[in-house]
Amino acid sequence: MNPTTEPYLTQYQARADTLPGRRVNWLQAQRRAGLARFTQVGFPTQRDEDWRYTTVKPITVKKFHGLNAAAESAEFAESAEHADLQAALDAMQIKGLQSHRLVFVDGVFAAQWSHSQSALGVPSEGVTVAPLAQVLEQNPHWIEQAFGSVKPDKAHGFTALNNAYSQDGVVVLLAENARPTTPVEMLFVSCAPNGCAQPRNIIIAGAASKVQLIERYVSVNGKPARDKNSAAACTFTNSSTEIVVGETAEVDYYLVQTQSQAAYHVCGVWARQARGSRFSCRTITLGGALVRNDLGVELAGEQAHCDMFGLYHLSGAQHVDNHTTMLHCAENCSSREWYKGVLEQRSRAVFHGRIKVAPGAQKTNAAQTNNNLLLSAHAEIDSKPQLEIYADDVQCSHGATVGQLDADALFYLRARGLDEAAAGEMLRVAFVNDVLNQIAIDELKQTLETMLAARLTGNRLSSHP
Amino acid sequence: MLTIKNLHVSVDGKPILNGIDLNINAGEVHAIMGPNGSGKSTLANVLAGREHYQVTAGSVAYKGLDLLDMEPEIRAREGVFLAFQYPVEIPGVTNLYLLKASVNAIRKHNHVDELNAVEFLKLIKEKVALVEMHEDFLYRPINEGFSGGEKKRNEILQMLLLQPTLSILDETDSGLDIDALKIVAKGVNTVRGDARAMLVVTHYQRLLDYIVPDVVHVLHNGAIVRSGDKSLALELEREGYGWIEARAAAQP
Ligand SMILES: Nc1ncnc2c1ncn2[C@@H]1O[C@H](COP(=O)(O)OP(=O)(O)OP(=O)(O)O)[C@@H](O)[C@H]1O
Ligand SMILES: [Mg+2]
């Protein structure tokens, strides 16, 4: 008996009957397959090549309870205390942003904080936004083909667990040519101490559609009325998002991780791109004790293009692992990957960028860069490209840099009257600016700019351990 | 205004300046010429406060203050300005952003009210017009992708904005076409004045036709080997530096 997987399996048995979509056969088959794989492979260890630099022990040794936490927080959300949660959520809003917004607290759909331009599940401007549980109960055929089709078959234990266990999340369906004027915002709030949430999202972008998606993870201290001064709650989120990008569709996707420094997040995002489509994926990671992102894109149709940008700013003992896989499966596709990180104190980052060019994927153009700014002697980065090229007419490039602030630039700024702290701050902000400038949603960009500027100033460092 | 006495400087233990003596009074323009590697930029950088250099002996007094004891930003705020031989590219920070931060840091130090965005914009636009730059350059990242000449012009723009008491121009004329040279010289001449001084490093006497110096010094192997009036620059242009080598060889 495996002591790390056992509690999850037991909980699964206990709650299998309460999961949505019990009468949907194809879904039940997927759940069983997920469960079987999880039972077989368990949680990854550092012996797995893909997990060499990241240990998930901090997650697996703890007892997280999915069901109770979820039930409690649903109760909490309805209770009189929810004014506090409301206030906390208001403070976390992306200022000025109009969006179709779905909010989940500890994995449970919170209808009172969600809104869409029309009723959930009813199309408006060609876009249908609905909670997964609702779709599974009412219209499972909407997602039957796509659901589970983008994720890799040989997934690691977390993904398998999500396949078995997930109960809710967001479904976004875009009709052909649909171009909603407002972004879709998926907000996942971790709240209850030791709570575990396993969101599952599916986005299906029809041919020639165009959409902006924001998937956000935040923390709010649970039960504020009961223990006001408690440290941030330890929470675990195991999320999974599948994105089907139709022919010539354009999907602009933002993954924004600003959870507390006591939150764990294992996150999978998988996209498949049809001919002539464009997918931009921008990952901004500022929060979390341990964050692992698996981002996989399959360029399945000719002339598809993918931009994958990432930005992480870490401090304390944060550990963030970005594992990207760019699969070039068709001719004339291009991909550009660009990850930038600022590491302070004892933080640690891993960047693993895999590019695979399948036989026949001629005229592939793939570029990958990872630039890191190490602001402390105790911070650490492991950056590793992995290129597998099975076609001959291909342009692939990769490069990684690890450095401190540029002494020449610092002196230049000081010679113009800026003190050392201000000059350093200006350079740190400058380092992240070029990635921030790629954010096409102004309100999001401004919110992140403000957040980062505050984090990159000396004030924050002195108030931080 | 500036008094340098017996200044010795090394980099990584290697002596580069070997006893410089130089006195610049308010209102004066001094030119420094000398072969490549003679230590001109080293002198300029030490005056601006570059930390990489070790001062092993000597002193520098500026407005009666111990210059070498001041942080680079304090020197800048007290009116020392270095136009870099190789201006640094800083992606991600716009020219405008730096210039405003710079002006206000200096004003604050001098207990003058900081400029607001509108006042600053008005001021900077006047200066941009003076050096005949396109306003677009204000919104571009500092020096990133600027041509050699554009970088130099940008340095002069900063000088015009900051109105320094002591300007040190390190080969600001190198890489400029003749029209740009005239524009730069015109800009430089607007900051000349009785209360200000200038140290101009150049390889070409041509610049000195436009910025007429009071004194010309020849730097060789980290020491000033000759000083004279502006005719010395003409002589160097004609004869090169061979005579210095010859004189050095003739000495025991
Ligand atoms: N950081 C450094 N490390 C090692 N040597 C240095 C460094 N900086 C300067 N030097 C050396 O000091 C000497 C003087 O350099 P400096 O740049 O001051 O010359 P310069 O007179 O300005 O030359 P140029 O006319 O080519 O600009 C050179 O031999 C140079 O190689
Ligand atoms: Mg030089």
Side-chain angles (χ1 to χ4, degrees):
Chain A
M1 195 121 297
N2 183 332
T4 60
T5 56
E6 184 54 28
Y8 291 89
L9 293 170
T10 315
Q11 280 191 40
Y12 180 81
Q13 301 304 341
R15 65 190 294 193
D17 288 347
T18 69
L19 293 171
R22 284 179 309 282
R23 286 175 300 276
V24 183
N25 290 335
W26 57 262
L27 178 71
Q28 289 303 78
Q30 286 193 26
R31 288 203 199 280
R32 278 193 301 274
L35 199 64
R37 177 139 183 101
F38 177 64
T39 312
Q40 182 204 337
V41 298
F43 288 111
T45 69
Q46 286 182 284
R47 284 191 300 276
D48 295 305
E49 191 52 33
D50 275 340
W51 292 83
R52 246 178 80 192
Y53 301 109
T54 298
T55 172
V56 297
K57 270 217 185 99
I59 300 174
T60 56
V61 297
K62 289 193 181 66
K63 296 275 174 287
F64 289 103
H65 34 84
L67 192 61
N68 294 344
E72 260 187 47
S73 61
E75 205 177 281
F76 170 70
E78 285 161 13
S79 75
E81 288 165 14
H82 91 215
D84 294 310
L85 184 53
Q86 175 79 61
L89 284 178
D90 284 347
M92 283 176 192
Q93 289 230 32
I94 299 172
K95 252 202 212 118
L97 181 74
Q98 300 287 323
S99 66
H100 298 272
R101 186 160 86 143
L102 267 67
V103 179
F104 297 79
V105 178
D106 293 322
V108 176
F109 180 56
Q112 68 272 44
W113 291 307
S114 303
H115 52 80
S116 179
Q117 278 167 354
S118 65
L120 293 170
V122 176
S124 111
E125 300 182 290
V127 61
T128 308
V129 180
L132 173 67
Q134 179 191 319
V135 173
L136 288 174
E137 293 297 334
Q138 297 170 11
N139 304 90
H141 59 280
W142 284 356
I143 55 172
E144 177 172 357
Q145 272 206 332
F147 200 80
S149 74
V150 195
K151 283 187 178 190
D153 293 334
K154 294 255 177 287
H156 57 64
F158 287 101
T159 308
L161 183 64
N162 180 284
N163 286 347
Y165 225 102
S166 58
Q167 53 180 347
D168 213 346
V170 179
V171 175
V172 181
L173 305 175
L174 287 132
E176 229 173 86
N177 292 310
R179 292 176 172 229
T181 45
T182 50
V184 177
E185 190 184 358
M186 310 172 248
L187 180 60
F188 297 94
V189 184
S190 292
C191 180
N194 302 316
C196 166
Q198 307 214 41
R200 176 91 190 246
N201 308 308
I202 176 125
I203 289 102
I204 305 172
S209 62
K210 186 175 176 182
V211 70
Q212 292 176 318
L213 306 163
I214 303 171
E215 184 173 335
R216 269 208 307 153
Y217 292 87
V218 301
S219 299
V220 165
N221 245 356
K223 307 191 185 66
R226 266 166 266 166
D227 44 66
K228 269 218 160 61
N229 301 316
S230 65
C234 179
T235 58
F236 172 40
T237 308
N238 180 27
S239 67
S240 223
T241 298
E242 289 180 287
I243 305 174
V244 179
V245 189
E247 290 198 353
T248 70
E250 279 179 53
V251 175
D252 202 5
Y253 167 82
Y254 299 88
L255 175 62
V256 183
Q257 298 167 307
T258 56
Q259 289 187 306
S260 81
Q261 296 220 357
Y264 300 98
H265 188 188
V266 177
C267 174
V269 178
W270 293 277
R272 179 178 297 121
Q273 295 186 244
R275 185 187 55 82
S277 64
R278 297 179 71 87
F279 176 56
S280 346
C281 172
R282 297 153 221 254
T283 306
I284 293 101
T285 309
L286 307 180
L290 169 58
V291 175
R292 160 72 176 226
N293 295 322
D294 282 281
L295 296 167
V297 175
E298 182 185 337
L299 295 142
E302 290 181 18
Q303 286 173 342
H305 177 76
C306 177
D307 275 323
M308 197 189 263
F309 292 170
L311 181 63
Y312 40 93
H313 175 254
L314 312 178
S315 60
Q318 285 184 281
H319 180 117
V320 170
D321 179 347
N322 280 297
H323 254 68
T324 67
T325 306
M326 194 68 73
L327 288 178
H328 279 268
C329 300
E331 283 189 25
N332 281 306
C333 290
S334 53
S335 64
R336 191 162 52 127
E337 243 180 291
W338 191 23
Y339 272 76
K340 282 187 111 169
V342 181
L343 277 70
E344 304 195 35
Q345 297 162 349
R346 288 160 294 126
S347 64
R348 186 161 177 190
V350 180
F351 174 78
H352 185 117
R354 178 169 173 233
I355 300 174
K356 183 176 169 185
V357 181
Q362 302 297 6
K363 306 253 187 297
T364 286
N365 193 326
Q368 181 189 91
T369 320
N370 175 222
N371 304 123
N372 296 282
L373 200 51
L374 252 63
L375 298 178
S376 142
H378 307 289
E380 209 179 312
I381 166 85
D382 293 290
S383 182
K384 193 177 152 205
Q386 182 185 341
L387 271 56
E388 299 163 38
I389 300 171
Y390 303 104
D392 46 28
D393 186 7
V394 164
Q395 275 187 13
C396 271
S397 66
H398 67 89
T401 61
V402 177
Q404 284 77 43
L405 288 177
D406 179 21
D408 290 335
L410 265 179
F411 177 63
Y412 190 78
L413 297 179
R414 293 181 74 188
R416 296 297 176 254
L418 275 69
D419 62 39
E420 204 173 355
E425 192 179 308
M426 201 180 267
L427 292 179
R428 291 195 293 271
V429 170
F431 181 81
V432 301
N433 262 358
D434 43 11
V435 174
L436 279 183
N437 286 339
Q438 302 289 331
I439 297 178
I441 303 172
D442 278 342
E443 295 85 355
L444 177 62
K445 183 172 138 186
Q446 266 159 31
T447 298
L448 289 171
E449 258 170 12
T450 310
M451 219 181 252
L452 267 160
R455 291 172 60 108
L456 292 166
T457 57
N459 308 348
R460 189 192 61 82
L461 287 183
S462 55
S463 67
H464 224 273
Chain B
M1 171 178 298
L2 184 76
T3 307
I4 304 176
K5 282 195 180 137
N6 190 34
L7 184 67
H8 284 71
V9 171
S10 355
V11 179
D12 302 330
K14 175 184 156 200
I16 293 177
L17 298 184
N18 304 302
I20 302 250
D21 289 290
L22 183 64
N23 188 55
I24 304 180
N25 298 312
E28 291 180 351
V29 172
H30 288 227
I32 293 197
M33 303 182 81
N36 294 133
S38 55
K40 304 180 297 295
S41 293
T42 302
L43 176 61
N45 276 282
V46 167
L47 294 178
R50 182 88 210 216
E51 272 154 2
H52 195 60
Y53 300 94
Q54 298 100 41
V55 175
T56 51
S59 66
V60 180
Y62 166 70
K63 297 197 301 194
L65 305 164
D66 178 358
L67 187 72
L68 299 178
D69 197 36
M70 293 152 76
E71 296 292 333
E73 59 270 26
I74 304 299
R75 300 182 198 200
R77 294 172 194 176
E78 287 289 340
V80 177
F81 179 86
L82 169 64
F84 285 64
Q85 181 176 2
Y86 303 110
V88 183
E89 296 194 6
I90 309 184
V93 184
T94 62
N95 242 341
L96 194 74
Y97 190 73
L98 166 63
L99 292 172
K100 181 156 179 275
S102 179
V103 165
N104 281 335
I106 292 171
R107 290 177 76 98
K108 194 171 169 199
H109 178 82
N110 293 311
H111 308 290
V112 183
D113 282 345
E114 295 180 34
L115 294 180
N116 66 31
V118 176
E119 294 164 335
F120 173 74
L121 215 57
K122 182 164 174 286
L123 178 66
I124 189 68
K125 285 188 174 175
E126 281 168 22
K127 306 299 180 187
V128 165
L130 256 179
V131 287
E132 300 181 23
M133 268 168 83
H134 200 288
E135 281 180 16
D136 286 356
F137 281 96
L138 291 174
Y139 302 94
R140 281 175 55 179
I142 302 165
N143 294 321
E144 194 185 36
F146 287 25
S147 76
E150 286 164 355
K151 283 181 185 166
K152 296 301 175 76
R153 230 187 266 206
N154 201 28
E155 294 291 289
I156 296 305
L157 171 68
Q158 298 181 8
M159 183 185 78
L160 293 181
L161 181 70
L162 302 180
Q163 295 284 310
T165 309
L166 173 66
S167 302
I168 305 163
L169 309 184
D170 190 358
E171 293 199 28
T172 302
D173 55 330
S174 296
L176 291 184
D177 64 47
I178 188 72
D179 293 335
L181 184 72
K182 285 182 191 162
I183 293 164
V184 163
K186 187 181 77 184
V188 170
N189 285 326
T190 65
V191 298
R192 276 180 88 156
D194 290 344
R196 300 204 166 103
M198 223 167 261
L199 185 61
V200 180
V201 175
T202 183
H203 284 294
Y204 307 105
Q205 99 71 40
R206 191 183 65 169
L207 175 72
L208 305 179
D209 283 344
Y210 299 102
I211 306 173
V212 182
D214 298 295
V215 190
V216 175
H217 308 276
V218 179
L219 195 65
H220 184 255
N221 276 338
I224 291 177
V225 292
R226 215 175 131 187
S227 303
D229 64 13
K230 77 181 188 49
S231 65
L232 178 55
L234 286 164
E235 185 185 330
L236 291 171
E237 184 109 321
R238 264 195 327 271
E239 326 228 326
Y241 296 107
W243 58 270
I244 306 176
E245 311 283 341
R247 201 174 68 174
Q251 274 173 7

